[in-house]
Amino acid sequence: MKGQQRSPQRRSSAEFPTGFLWGVAAASYQVEGAVNEDGRGQSIWDTFARTPGKVRHGHTGDTSVDQYHRYPEDVTLMRELGVSAYRYSIAWPRVQPDGSGIFNPKGFDYYKRLSDELHRQNIKSVATLYHWDLPQALEDAGGWPQRDTAYRFAEYAAGCFAELGDHVDMWTTLNEPWCSAVLGYDLGEHAPGHTSKSKGWAAGHHLMLGRGVAVQAYRALTGTATAEQAGARVVAPIGITHNLETPRPATRHPEDIAAADRAADMRTRFFLDPMLGRPYPQRHFAAYPEEMPPPVLDGDMETIATPIDFLGLNYYFEPVVVTAPEYPEGFRAVNSYHETTDMGWPVTPLGLSRHLRWVWNHIDGRYPLYITENGCAMPDELTPDGLRCHDPGRVRYLRDHFSAALDAVEEGVDLRGYFVWSLIDNFEWSLGYTKRFGIVYADYVNQRRVPKDSYYYLREVISGTEDL
Ligand code: FCB
């Protein structure tokens, strides 16, 4: 439908800005496996996955797609795909097994080997410092609701900057702190599985604080206030990845429009505004007087506002909300009329352009944007000969989202890159291996990788031989 609404001219990846970064993304616990090798410590996800009833079918990341050993093959798949960047994450318990004190050189070695292989195949190494695998020892001491964890994160980050600074081309501090805070400590759906709103918001504050301290440590080490200031000296940019939401009102009634605005408070403004020097949104805490607002100490907000170099956005779908005066927060989500993916998430490409425009305006164009994750789960199966995997739904999903991103670019949003989630099927958190997000099919029995049709489609898009 959307295609028919647009101008009939050819649209190709060449219309994205020069130097646009095409990439694929993944995260340590989801793909690495090798959880007991080379001195890796335990993380909250090892514990959570082993707790009966937490992860579907009792699946764990113990082996996953074994990228720890098979990374050369995966990097080759990336090169053949034509991407210029791989966004992976560093497993904190691999490089600092107990989350404080002693670092583990063998853990760093893995990320050096991975980066060397990426560079050898002409791909940028884009590292996320925290994609949810908190060392279990830190959780035992109270986890993210404890202020000290923020400083432990900054210490770990400084260790990574020192050891891996020559290997990494772009740093992301946190992946989706909303998930770590709210799914982990409030809703209990993710590790470590707590259910306390106050813990959730305290965790959120400490995550944001820890990354502020980490960015300050990075600036001290590189001797510049921003990556741009480094001039001829190459300093890898540092940013953050958020999963913000800018819900759409279900109708044009002013009540629903107001509800959609309120819905952005805790999911979006809480995680974005303090980074821009603005206060935490207050409406939510007024609606829930029994909930403790985050424990902010003097100087915290300034630390959180430490400038970064780019803002990463993960986008999967656009929620729809209506007014709901029966709830203290005054809104509730409703189902949309769109088709859904295997996650039950609606397919809403137009929401991506709206989201990019909203964020770009909200931050007053202060930081360039990257889509650090976008993709979908589909019920993929191999063909009977085992050689192909036809995933037309994902090809359509990607094409429509690329096109929506280009719409935003054409309207002036400074979007510099796009990372597809994910290179390969992997451990989808509490859903285990039941959801396939890869553009490469993983056969978990024999570790065979089979590129799906969407992989070939993306290859043609990147090379410019296929239209969006
Ligand atoms: C995001 C996570 C990522 C992956 C995708 C499907 O929220 O960052 O690890 O699970 O969802």
Side-chain angles (χ1 to χ4, degrees), residues 114-147:
L114 172 62
S115 294
D116 288 346
E117 184 63 23
L118 287 165
H119 290 154
R120 204 177 62 76
Q121 305 218 37
N122 218 4
I123 297 167
K124 286 191 163 51
S125 166
V126 179
T128 298
L129 287 161
Y130 186 71
H131 201 128
W132 310 352
D133 35 9
L134 184 72
Q136 182 60 42
L138 290 185
E139 177 55 28
D140 295 343
W144 285 109
Q146 281 293 329
R147 190 176 172 86

Side-chain angles (χ1 to χ4, degrees), residues 40-364:
R40 176 186 178 278
Q42 294 292 292
S43 85
I44 54 175
W45 270 95
D46 295 299
T47 310
F48 194 71
R50 292 209 178 94
T51 310
K54 297 298 187 192
V55 174
R56 202 170 282 184
H57 306 316
H59 289 165
T60 72
D62 286 3
T63 307
S64 188
V65 290
D66 192 30
Q67 194 168 83
Y68 192 74
H69 299 110
R70 292 168 198 263
Y71 67 91
E73 183 182 352
D74 288 349
V75 176
T76 299
L77 278 165
M78 291 178 223
R79 183 191 21 95
E80 288 167 359
L81 175 61
V83 286
S84 32
Y86 180 39
R87 173 176 177 256
Y88 60 92
S89 79
I90 297 169
W92 187 346
R94 236 183 241 298
V95 305
Q96 198 184 28
D98 292 326
S100 57
I102 307 244
F103 285 97
N104 173 27
K106 284 192 174 165
F108 283 127
D109 283 351
Y110 169 63
Y111 299 104
K112 289 179 186 167
R113 290 198 299 279
L114 172 62
S115 294
D116 288 346
E117 184 63 23
L118 287 165
H119 290 154
R120 204 177 62 76
Q121 305 218 37
N122 218 4
I123 297 167
K124 286 191 163 51
S125 166
V126 179
T128 298
L129 287 161
Y130 186 71
H131 201 128
W132 310 352
D133 35 9
L134 184 72
Q136 182 60 42
L138 290 185
E139 177 55 28
D140 295 343
W144 285 109
Q146 281 293 329
R147 190 176 172 86
D148 188 54
T149 304
Y151 296 98
R152 298 287 66 77
F153 174 74
E155 177 191 86
Y156 149 70
C160 291
F161 299 145
E163 272 292 325
L164 301 173
D166 290 345
H167 290 77
V168 170
D169 302 294
M170 206 167 156
W171 292 99
T172 304
T173 48
L174 305 177
N175 178 72
E176 302 188 352
W178 178 88
C179 288
S180 305
V182 177
L183 297 183
Y185 289 92
D186 171 3
L187 301 176
E189 291 169 20
H190 278 184
H194 294 294
T195 49
S196 149
K197 285 212 181 305
S198 299
K199 275 191 184 170
W201 297 122
H205 178 64
H206 295 143
L207 280 149
M208 295 307 290
L209 177 67
R211 56 147 283 287
V213 184
V215 174
Q216 289 178 348
Y218 185 67
R219 300 302 187 205
L221 192 81
T222 57
T224 56
T226 63
E228 250 177 23
Q229 278 181 0
R233 198 156 60 85
V234 179
V235 168
I238 188 165
I240 187 171
T241 280
H242 275 309
N243 58 330
L244 310 173
E245 271 182 6
T246 47
R248 186 162 55 82
T251 74
R252 293 181 182 184
H253 290 302
E255 302 80 30
D256 287 339
I257 293 173
D261 184 64
R262 278 197 301 280
D265 271 2
M266 299 317 277
R267 177 70 182 244
T268 298
R269 294 193 183 94
F270 182 94
F271 291 93
L272 191 54
D273 285 7
M275 291 181 44
L276 303 164
R278 303 172 194 161
Y280 281 124
Q282 292 306 314
R283 273 189 291 205
H284 176 88
F285 297 107
Y288 287 97
E290 73 288 359
E291 237 175 71
M292 298 283 290
V296 179
L297 300 189
D298 273 0
D300 285 5
M301 299 310 273
E302 289 74 19
T303 304
I304 293 175
T306 305
I308 54 173
D309 300 315
F310 68 91
L311 179 61
L313 300 173
N314 293 352
Y315 177 87
Y316 288 91
F317 68 93
E318 175 186 65
V320 180
V321 302
V322 291
T323 181
E326 66 277 23
Y327 292 103
E329 61 268 53
F331 67 88
R332 74 184 160 80
V334 290
N335 288 336
S336 69
Y337 50 81
H338 296 94
E339 62 174 304
T340 54
T341 68
D342 203 26
M343 294 291 276
W345 295 346
V347 179
T348 54
L350 290 179
L352 175 58
S353 351
R354 279 194 284 266
H355 187 60
L356 290 168
R357 281 197 303 265
W358 189 96
V359 173
W360 180 246
N361 289 332
H362 193 72
I363 68 172
D364 297 326

Side-chain angles (χ1 to χ4, degrees), residues 371-452:
I371 294 169
T372 35
E373 286 180 27
N374 173 246
C376 62
M378 291 289 171
D380 302 316
E381 284 175 14
L382 290 179
T383 50
D385 60 9
L387 298 177
R388 292 295 296 260
C389 175
H390 301 308
D391 59 344
R394 183 174 292 102
V395 170
R396 221 168 34 243
Y397 180 99
L398 290 177
R399 186 201 308 117
D400 288 347
H401 284 78
F402 295 159
S403 194
L406 189 51
D407 287 343
V409 169
E410 286 171 355
E411 289 166 36
V413 173
D414 184 5
L415 180 71
R416 305 227 178 139
Y418 202 124
F419 293 76
V420 170
W421 183 275
S422 179
L423 173 71
I424 184 167
D425 296 333
N426 59 60
F427 177 83
E428 179 46 34
W429 307 113
S430 58
L431 299 171
Y433 297 100
T434 63
K435 302 295 169 198
R436 292 182 176 273
F437 272 93
I439 55 171
V440 173
Y441 183 95
D443 185 330
Y444 294 114
V445 176
N446 55 21
Q447 294 295 357
R448 207 160 59 93
R449 278 98 161 109
V450 182
K452 301 178 190 177

